[in-house]
Amino acid sequence: MSINKVAREAGVSIATVSRVINNTGAVRPSTRERVEAAIATLGYSANRLARNLRTAESRLILVLVPDYSNPFYAGIVRGIDAEAGRRGYHMLLCDTGADPDAQRTYLELLTNRMADGAICLDPDSIQALTGEQTRHLPWVACCEFDAASGVPWVGIDNARAATDAVRFLIERGRRHIAMIGGDERFMYARERRRGYLTALEEAGLTPPPGSPLDTFEPDFDDGYRLTTRLLSASPRCDALFAASDPLAVGAMQAVHDAGLKVPDDIAIIGFDNIPLAAMVRPRLTTVAQPMQRLGENAARLLLEQLNDPELPPAGTLLEHELIVRESA
Amino acid sequence: MSINKVAREAGVSIATVSRVINNTGAVRPSTRERVEAAIATLGYSANRLARNLRTAESRLILVLVPDYSNPFYAGIVRGIDAEAGRRGYHMLLCDTGADPDAQRTYLELLTNRMADGAICLDPDSIQALTGEQTRHLPWVACCEFDAASGVPWVGIDNARAATDAVRFLIERGRRHIAMIGGDERFMYARERRRGYLTALEEAGLTPPPGSPLDTFEPDFDDGYRLTTRLLSASPRCDALFAASDPLAVGAMQAVHDAGLKVPDDIAIIGFDNIPLAAMVRPRLTTVAQPMQRLGENAARLLLEQLNDPELPPAGTLLEHELIVRESA
DNA sequence: CGCTTTATTGTAAACGTTTACATTTAACGC
DNA sequence: GCGTTAAATGTAAACGTTTACAATAAAGCG
């Protein structure tokens, strides 16, 4: 009953105190001063739980990421936080580990009214699982989405991005272009694989034997392992498109350990443009995603939807960019 | 008034509904069933804001990081989340950018009662700034701490860790050992520098000219830049201790570009053992911090303190480990 | 079967706000 | 000054829970 104390201290009613806190309604300057003085001497700070209960909003948004030690997600999360912060929202960050049960548990925070809305970076396959229960909840899908699902989304055109990357390799004269990283659970991986095949097809090329190759985790170790396997299956391979940067860096290492040179013998292109890409030698050519802006747009979309629940669900496609460095 | 609807549907009072939700108190199996059925048909989920208001706890913990695109913090955050999750807490993650104002703003979430406690990874110099206002608030300092401040903390012995690393270099016959990364704002950096100097001193060595060298950001670019400068100032330098892994990787690159070889001409040791360290060639020798366990311990400490506010503030020192790879 | 104990349920207050509405006070025009 | 209007303040209900306490029903005992 803390606002009560302030009211007593200032000799006014709690309504007046509330009015000066939120400066809503009219209050005479002299009483405003008195109230502010009381707040200062008592060190009062309005209880947000009570306020939230009364106003039926938490000003918290739930962010679901499959793995936040992945720098790519870190960039997006930063964008979300920046935009949300500007509008007075905070972020409840949850690592689902791409586990549907975890996701369901965390989504309770939404039905619980502990959060006002959610941004989900989980694989679309997972999103689909919880789809029915969450149809009417305010959330947006980021990076992984199904445009047909009726859920607002933001992302890039993964297929086109992959096609662009592979075309670049073709233009530079490469003819035996392999791909690694096709994890079926992730939409981005399926799309990139599709774009890769499109580019080959339009140039009248076929994937070298063993390509495209699926990964389980799109990380350095898998990149190394798969590339080693690939090189022995396709010795003529002269270029490699990887679905993520760590994968590409692992591949670079495998190529090197096989006694070949990047980019002379094998050109390599990665995906995402995380900081790592600029830290290795040769520097990694890669498809950049606008991570910060992806996050910002997701947050903006969500908050607009919260303001006006009748808003039709929108999709936002952001542009990718091929960053040409040394590896291709 | 949603619990009301459930009560009406089940033909009981709201108290009984509350009892079956929290299964506290006695309720006859038959009525429990009836209530559960009502909950199911109505799709009811208890409003956490209301519950939190009533029980005066939010089951949220505030995590303040200076920069969460830094993989080192990601590891710690993951540990915090794991431990907190096990105990039914969630995480309000805030990126302060090491800005005191931002930190102050975020800490309002604590005084607001929107969060029950906080874990702070910000530089100790920042922590000190807000110290007076937060003395009585429940929080623990992680990695950056001042043992004398009376705030519970968890971290490693940075000075000893640095000494160990430099001793290792000395044992391997290096005599002109430089250090980069001494950012005065961070306790970890000051301590590592101190440890570096200790190791040199006990071996009767002196730092090569220009060493130790301060950084502003402990990242790849600074590592490259400073090392380049260092190499021209101290051509006889044969080893380098860097206060972070990205710094060390930048240094490796600078050494390479100067036409020298790692580790033959210059041995390099980094700090933290983030994934990057195993992805570069030569693989980086580095001092590992138990990131996950640091986070877990911080969370545990905080939650224990929340359970029993009278608990004397404790400090927890975890062990570091020198991971010997190829760069030294 | 009546009395005492215990298990089950209900009533109502409390948590700390915001806000519609009522009331009081000040301001204004004449 | 007086009536009218506007500004400032207060009252009380509401948000959706939990929980102390009261009340009722069931059970046990002689």
Side-chain angles (χ1 to χ4, degrees):
Chain A
M1 218 193 266
S2 216
I3 201 181
N4 247 312
K5 282 188 189 159
V6 177
R8 214 167 316 150
E9 170 86 11
V12 297
S13 76
I14 60 170
T16 302
V17 177
S18 176
R19 275 188 276 260
V20 350
I21 292 171
N22 311 319
N23 57 359
T24 159
V27 27
R28 202 173 342 171
S30 64
T31 64
R32 150 160 283 125
E33 271 172 32
R34 239 172 340 131
V35 172
E36 274 163 355
I39 288 176
T41 62
L42 265 53
Y44 167 75
S45 174
N47 181 321
R48 263 187 66 159
L49 290 173
R51 169 178 300 166
N52 292 342
L53 172 60
R54 175 58 220 242
T55 59
E57 61 170 15
S58 63
R59 298 201 147 255
L60 255 36
I61 73 185
L62 191 64
V63 179
L64 301 175
V65 301
D67 168 20
Y68 43 49
S69 66
N70 182 330
F72 172 63
Y73 294 124
I76 293 182
V77 165
R78 153 165 298 183
I80 294 174
D81 191 40
E83 181 65 20
R86 260 174 246 134
R87 310 201 181 197
Y89 278 75
H90 289 283
M91 207 177 56
L92 220 42
L93 187 60
C94 301
D95 190 332
T96 65
D99 169 25
D101 289 330
Q103 202 196 41
R104 243 185 297 267
T105 308
Y106 286 132
L107 279 174
E108 279 179 20
L109 290 168
L110 250 193
T111 56
N112 272 341
R113 319 268 18 204
M114 193 66 202
D116 294 342
I119 294 174
C120 183
L121 307 182
D122 271 325
D124 68 325
S125 50
I126 304 274
Q127 293 180 21
L129 289 183
T130 47
E132 300 87 52
Q133 309 145 44
T134 57
R135 176 93 45 222
H136 61 290
L137 259 32
W139 65 290
V140 348
C142 185
C143 299
E144 287 282 310
F145 58 89
D146 174 3
S149 71
V151 173
W153 54 269
V154 10
I156 65 164
D157 187 334
N158 284 285
R160 197 158 53 77
T163 304
D164 288 352
V166 176
R167 270 189 199 141
F168 175 84
L169 290 170
I170 296 171
E171 279 164 18
R172 298 297 165 106
R174 308 291 170 156
R175 288 298 173 264
H176 302 94
I177 304 169
M179 167 170 183
I180 58 175
D183 190 329
E184 283 295 324
R185 298 172 303 166
F186 286 85
M187 175 272 254
Y188 81 82
R190 295 193 305 270
E191 286 291 292
R192 288 174 199 173
R193 170 205 280 235
R194 194 164 65 81
Y196 156 76
L197 292 173
T198 303
L200 289 191
E201 193 171 351
E202 72 184 18
L205 301 174
T206 51
S211 170
L213 216 47
D214 281 10
T215 49
F216 186 67
E217 288 291 337
D219 60 9
F220 177 88
D221 290 337
D222 248 27
Y224 188 92
R225 204 167 45 76
L226 294 179
T227 304
T228 304
R229 194 195 303 170
L230 190 79
L231 290 178
S232 63
S234 305
R236 299 179 54 204
C237 178
D238 60 5
L240 181 71
F241 171 55
S244 84
D245 286 343
L247 226 36
V249 173
M252 265 176 36
Q253 200 49 54
V255 169
H256 179 260
D257 288 0
L260 300 172
K261 272 205 142 358
V262 177
D264 305 336
D265 299 316
I266 298 193
I268 294 185
I269 294 187
F271 211 110
D272 286 347
N273 193 32
I274 62 176
L276 168 67
M279 294 191 197
V280 293
R281 290 308 128 102
R283 277 184 282 256
L284 189 63
T285 292
T286 188
V287 181
Q289 296 199 56
M291 302 183 262
Q292 175 104 10
R293 282 178 45 230
L294 281 167
E296 286 174 345
N297 275 68
R300 194 171 310 134
L301 222 54
L302 179 64
L303 296 183
E304 279 167 6
Q305 207 193 0
L306 290 178
N307 271 345
D308 177 8
E310 302 306 320
L311 225 59
T316 309
L317 207 61
L318 298 184
E319 285 305 312
H320 58 268
E321 184 188 0
L322 184 66
I323 308 283
V324 180
R325 294 203 182 90
E326 300 158 1
S327 72
Chain B
M1 219 193 267
S2 217
I3 200 180
N4 247 313
K5 282 187 188 157
V6 177
R8 214 168 314 149
E9 170 86 10
V12 298
S13 76
I14 60 170
T16 301
V17 176
S18 175
R19 275 188 276 259
V20 353
I21 292 170
N22 310 319
N23 57 358
T24 159
V27 26
R28 201 168 350 168
S30 63
T31 63
R32 150 160 283 126
E33 271 172 32
R34 237 168 345 128
V35 172
E36 274 163 356
I39 289 177
T41 62
L42 266 53
Y44 166 75
S45 175
N47 182 321
R48 264 188 65 159
L49 290 173
R51 169 178 300 168
N52 292 342
L53 172 60
R54 175 58 220 240
T55 60
E57 63 171 12
S58 62
R59 298 203 146 254
L60 254 38
I61 74 184
L62 190 65
V63 179
L64 302 175
V65 302
D67 168 20
Y68 45 47
S69 66
N70 182 330
F72 172 63
Y73 294 123
I76 293 181
V77 166
R78 152 165 299 185
I80 294 174
D81 191 40
E83 181 65 19
R86 260 173 246 135
R87 309 201 181 199
Y89 278 75
H90 291 282
M91 206 177 57
L92 220 43
L93 187 60
C94 301
D95 191 330
T96 64
D99 170 24
D101 289 330
Q103 201 197 40
R104 243 185 298 267
T105 308
Y106 286 131
L107 279 173
E108 279 178 20
L109 290 168
L110 250 193
T111 55
N112 272 342
R113 318 269 16 205
M114 194 66 201
D116 294 342
I119 294 174
C120 182
L121 306 182
D122 271 325
D124 67 327
S125 50
I126 304 273
Q127 293 180 20
L129 289 182
T130 47
E132 301 85 53
Q133 307 146 45
T134 57
R135 176 93 45 222
H136 61 291
L137 260 33
W139 66 290
V140 346
C142 186
C143 298
E144 287 283 309
F145 58 89
D146 175 1
S149 71
V151 173
W153 54 269
V154 12
I156 66 164
D157 187 333
N158 284 285
R160 197 157 52 77
T163 303
D164 288 353
V166 177
R167 270 191 198 139
F168 175 85
L169 291 169
I170 295 172
E171 279 165 17
R172 299 296 165 107
R174 309 291 168 157
R175 287 297 172 267
H176 303 94
I177 305 170
M179 168 172 184
I180 58 176
D183 190 328
E184 282 295 325
R185 298 172 304 165
F186 287 84
M187 175 272 253
Y188 81 82
R190 295 194 305 272
E191 286 290 292
R192 289 174 199 174
R193 170 205 280 237
R194 195 164 63 81
Y196 156 77
L197 292 173
T198 302
L200 288 191
E201 194 172 349
E202 70 185 18
L205 300 173
T206 52
S211 168
L213 216 46
D214 279 10
T215 50
F216 185 66
E217 289 292 337
D219 61 10
F220 177 88
D221 290 337
D222 248 26
Y224 188 92
R225 203 168 45 77
L226 294 179
T227 304
T228 305
R229 194 195 304 170
L230 190 78
L231 290 178
S232 64
S234 305
R236 300 181 53 207
C237 179
D238 59 6
L240 181 70
F241 171 55
S244 84
D245 286 342
L247 226 37
V249 172
M252 265 175 38
Q253 199 50 52
V255 169
H256 179 259
D257 287 359
L260 300 173
K261 275 206 143 354
V262 177
D264 305 339
D265 299 317
I266 298 193
I268 294 185
I269 294 188
F271 210 111
D272 287 347
N273 193 33
I274 62 176
L276 169 66
M279 295 192 198
V280 293
R281 290 307 128 104
R283 278 185 282 255
L284 189 63
T285 293
T286 189
V287 180
Q289 297 198 55
M291 301 183 261
Q292 175 103 12
R293 282 178 45 230
L294 281 167
E296 287 173 346
N297 275 68
R300 194 171 311 137
L301 221 53
L302 179 63
L303 296 182
E304 278 167 6
Q305 206 193 0
L306 290 178
N307 271 344
D308 178 7
E310 302 306 322
L311 225 59
T316 309
L317 207 61
L318 297 184
E319 284 306 312
H320 57 270
E321 183 187 0
L322 184 66
I323 308 283
V324 180
R325 294 202 182 93
E326 301 156 1
S327 73

